[in-house]
Amino acid sequence: MSDLSQKIAALTPGKRQLLLQRLHNKKGEVLLRSQIVPQSRESNSFPLSFAQQRLWFLDQLQPGHSAYNIFQSMRLRGWLNVAVLEQSFNEVMKRHEILRTTFTTVDGQPIQVIAPTPTFRLLLVDLQELPKDKREAEVLRLADKEAQHSFNLAKDPLLRVTLLRQSETDHALLLTMHHIISDGWSIGVLICEIAALYEAFSHGKSSLRHATLTPLPKLSIQYADFAVWQRQWLQGEQLETQLAYWKQQLGDSLPTLELPTDRPRPRIQTFSGARESLGLPKTLSEKLKALNQRQGITLFMILLAAFQTLLFWYTGQEDIVVGTDIANRNQAETKELIGFFANQLVLRTDLSGNPTFLELLERVREMTLEAYAHQDLPFDKLVDALNPKRELNRSPLFQVKLVLENTQTPSLELPGLTINSLKVENKTVQFDLLLELNETEQGLFGVWEYNTDLFDTASIVQMSRNFEALLGKIATHPQAKLNELKAFLSEADKQQNLTREEAYQSTIQKKLRNVKRRANSRP
């Protein structure tokens, strides 16, 4: 999801002024962010940012887990200069200290330790000795293994790059980072920089030696500078203002979303997962966009209201809590950095009183704008402040998440190469259920990530169809009340069950006919 400045810019002048007014503190003073400045490098150790500290703590509880791996894979076809590719990654590691950072403890407190020089080595695995018909399967096997391979935060380089060679002109590139040093935005930064450096080095240019040939601007700060700034800035009245809003919005106890599951919830939270694709027809996507334009709200708000309506139908609960991600890069210095800036927001909506969908949208709009205005409070600080009852089998504060990505990760373009994605199944999840949608020119596409210890694939497929049906109803009848939408979903779900049962019975009958045919054909 785009950051706060993009969201403010998308609002009408009246709504923009309303939101900006909410950025004032109780004395009427604007809560401006101070500038992030470089820190002394006399010591190569720095405190963790609040987001990093949460992941570090989770790693201490369950070390060696791959749930927070960020994995990218792609095919490179054409003439690849492996030495130049390795040089490009080394240059990126020189530019970004976070890519050569590990995490340890001093006097019981975690710290970032920055290695002074890159120690990056591109791992090249040559598969040419295998028979040609075995290479593709081996690529997929190694890619899956790499995606699941965990990190040791104290010892390992937290960026791994593996190149699988199937032939001189056919490679697969596997890139893995731990979330503690990266986020979704960072992937885009990394890809853009690798592309610029590879092209420059391919033509014998230095990224630093000649200013006129420099493909990358000098970074004004590093992630460690941000971590120091964040801890200095987010205290006192800044912290008090943020906390006051979230305590008032979320209260003393949050409801637990009780989605019907296919199996009992394990006693300890598991991270076994799978994915199921979702593609909405372009006509439906256009109708939803038209609705958000008529109402003067964002597409995310419509999708959130619809998603919470779907959860309301599944659970019968009128108090629905959903999580979402926000880029949280509100200062110019952070936009070109690789690092873990993304924050999680807790979005709580009251669906009581049988409102129309448009009335529900107004509730969601108000709540979402307030949440954006108070996005600086790190999620782990919020958890500490609310101090919910800790359950080993659930994530704190919310268990279901909705994300809309409207800033696409750039595709990697290297001279002389054709690059395509390499699809590797994601087998780990962080929540019970996550719906991640992408806004494209062709419409809305996305994926459901779900915990396979809780849900069967068939249940998620049916949920996806129900969600699409609900969006279609909302796009044409936004004045419908929630009870009408509940009745519509019940009928749509019933029809889907009948269709699925008919298809199942048809398959059984076909198999029986085939068995009889084979039996009758025997001498």
Side-chain angles (χ1 to χ4, degrees):
M1 186 183 301
S2 57
D3 61 5
L4 180 60
S5 60
Q6 291 172 305
K7 296 181 188 300
I8 292 177
L11 299 176
T12 62
K15 291 187 173 75
R16 190 179 308 139
Q17 181 61 31
L18 175 65
L19 177 56
L20 291 175
Q21 288 172 354
R22 291 169 177 161
L23 294 172
H24 290 66
N25 65 9
K26 61 188 180 183
K27 297 178 182 178
E29 301 167 339
V30 179
L31 292 174
L32 295 176
R33 297 174 177 85
S34 58
Q35 184 179 6
I36 305 173
V37 297
Q39 302 295 311
S40 169
R41 290 305 191 265
E42 290 183 6
S43 169
N44 68 343
S45 61
F46 296 88
L48 278 61
S49 69
F50 293 116
Q52 284 181 320
Q53 184 167 314
R54 178 172 61 89
L55 289 194
W56 178 87
F57 178 73
L58 292 174
D59 187 75
Q60 302 304 298
L61 290 176
Q62 291 183 285
H65 208 287
S66 61
Y68 290 95
N69 282 9
I70 297 178
F71 179 73
Q72 294 281 308
S73 56
M74 58 201 78
R75 297 185 183 278
L76 313 178
R77 291 194 168 100
W79 292 104
L80 173 67
N81 190 325
V82 177
V84 168
L85 183 63
E86 183 175 70
Q87 183 184 10
S88 301
F89 274 102
N90 266 289
E91 187 64 37
V92 171
M93 292 192 74
K94 287 180 185 177
R95 284 173 52 77
H96 297 274
E97 292 177 348
I98 192 65
L99 295 179
R100 40 194 165 91
T101 296
T102 52
F103 299 83
T104 187
T105 56
V106 173
D107 298 328
Q109 295 298 314
I111 60 169
Q112 302 186 62
V113 178
I114 302 169
T117 57
T119 57
F120 174 80
R121 290 293 181 271
L122 180 66
L123 176 61
L124 177 62
V125 179
D126 198 331
L127 304 178
Q128 294 180 97
E129 293 183 358
L130 294 175
K132 286 187 177 181
D133 61 344
K134 303 290 185 182
R135 294 176 192 175
E136 180 64 18
E138 183 64 3
V139 165
L140 295 176
R141 187 189 72 81
L142 291 175
D144 179 71
K145 181 180 178 182
E146 169 59 25
Q148 307 303 319
H149 184 50
S150 61
F151 289 94
N152 182 322
L153 301 186
K155 298 179 180 179
D156 293 343
L158 300 182
L159 164 66
R160 293 194 304 257
V161 184
T162 303
L163 191 66
L164 307 179
R165 174 175 289 166
Q166 291 178 269
S167 73
E168 290 298 323
T169 57
D170 190 357
H171 296 82
L173 183 68
L174 313 179
L175 188 153
T176 316
M177 290 189 284
H178 195 284
H179 200 357
I180 202 169
I181 66 163
S182 183
D183 56 18
W185 184 300
S186 298
I187 294 293
V189 173
L190 179 65
I191 288 174
C192 287
E193 292 196 355
I194 290 297
L197 290 166
Y198 184 90
E199 182 175 11
F201 291 146
S202 295
H203 293 87
K205 300 175 183 178
S206 167
S207 68
L208 301 175
R209 208 171 290 159
H210 305 293
T212 56
L213 300 179
T214 300
L216 300 175
K218 184 179 179 181
L219 297 173
S220 60
I221 61 167
Q222 294 287 334
Y223 186 83
D225 301 317
F226 165 78
V228 172
W229 168 87
Q230 185 189 49
R231 289 185 173 274
Q232 292 175 344
W233 179 75
L234 195 59
Q235 55 183 315
E237 189 171 0
Q238 302 283 2
L239 179 59
E240 180 185 330
T241 300
Q242 295 278 333
L243 282 173
Y245 163 75
W246 287 108
K247 286 181 177 180
Q248 189 249 341
Q249 170 67 12
L250 302 180
D252 294 330
S253 80
L254 282 172
T256 299
L257 191 67
E258 298 292 353
L259 274 174
T261 60
D262 296 303
R263 281 169 293 283
R265 183 177 295 274
R267 289 183 298 174
I268 297 178
Q269 184 179 8
T270 62
F271 301 96
S272 303
R275 297 159 69 93
E276 189 66 34
S277 297
L278 166 68
L280 299 181
K282 187 175 181 179
T283 53
L284 175 55
S285 300
E286 290 172 345
K287 288 178 181 178
L288 293 172
K289 286 184 180 181
L291 176 59
N292 84 257
Q293 290 169 359
R294 290 196 305 270
Q295 298 302 315
I297 59 175
T298 66
L299 179 60
F300 175 75
M301 294 175 186
I302 289 180
L303 294 171
L304 175 61
F307 188 53
Q308 291 180 317
T309 300
L310 181 74
L311 298 176
F312 165 58
W313 176 74
Y314 267 101
T315 65
Q317 297 172 245
E318 296 180 333
D319 190 356
I320 302 290
V321 179
V322 170
T324 194
D325 289 341
I326 194 160
N328 202 33
R329 295 181 184 240
N330 300 314
Q331 292 164 275
E333 306 98 305
T334 65
K335 296 187 183 299
E336 302 305 320
L337 285 180
I338 294 172
F340 185 13
F341 294 91
N343 195 19
Q344 297 185 121
L345 299 182
V346 186
L347 305 177
R348 182 180 190 178
T349 304
D350 176 15
L351 287 81
S352 65
N354 192 27
T356 66
F357 185 77
L358 290 181
E359 291 169 341
L360 176 62
L361 264 182
E362 181 59 25
R363 298 180 191 181
V364 167
R365 183 193 71 86
E366 181 77 11
M367 175 273 299
T368 307
L369 286 178
E370 289 279 5
Y372 292 158
H374 296 88
Q375 65 171 281
D376 286 307
L377 185 69
F379 181 75
D380 71 295
K381 298 288 285 185
L382 177 60
V383 173
D384 289 344
L386 296 179
N387 193 27
K389 178 183 177 182
R390 301 300 176 97
E391 298 180 85
L392 295 178
N393 60 356
R394 299 178 192 269
S395 55
L397 304 190
F398 61 83
Q399 298 79 45
V400 173
K401 198 171 186 178
L402 174 69
V403 176
L404 173 63
E405 294 286 354
N406 47 25
T407 54
Q408 298 296 309
T409 298
S411 58
L412 182 61
E413 297 181 3
L414 303 179
L417 292 164
T418 300
I419 302 175
N420 298 299
S421 63
L422 174 65
K423 293 186 178 180
V424 178
E425 184 180 357
N426 181 16
K427 296 181 179 179
T428 60
V429 293
Q430 299 169 18
F431 300 94
D432 293 357
L433 185 67
L434 162 66
L435 175 56
E436 182 176 317
L437 293 166
N438 288 273
E439 186 180 356
T440 72
E441 293 181 357
Q442 292 74 39
L444 283 165
F445 293 87
V447 64
W448 298 85
E449 290 187 3
Y450 60 97
N451 190 306
T452 52
D453 290 319
L454 298 176
F455 302 105
D456 289 332
T457 301
S459 298
I460 300 302
V461 169
Q462 184 132 339
M463 181 181 290
S464 185
R465 290 172 179 165
N466 287 337
F467 187 55
E468 182 178 339
L470 176 62
L471 288 174
K473 181 71 172 179
I474 287 168
T476 55
H477 297 85
Q479 289 284 4
K481 289 183 174 291
L482 287 198
N483 282 348
E484 295 175 58
L485 295 176
K486 281 180 64 179
F488 168 79
L489 276 171
S490 296
E491 182 60 28
D493 189 65
K494 179 181 177 181
Q495 291 301 318
Q496 286 185 45
N497 282 328
L498 288 174
T499 301
R500 189 167 63 177
E501 180 62 25
E502 289 173 359
Y504 173 75
Q505 292 299 331
S506 176
T507 300
I508 293 297
Q509 293 301 319
K510 183 177 180 180
K511 288 181 178 179
L512 287 174
R513 287 194 298 269
N514 289 337
V515 170
K516 290 179 180 180
R517 189 181 300 115
R518 287 196 297 268
N520 293 334
S521 65
R522 292 172 185 170

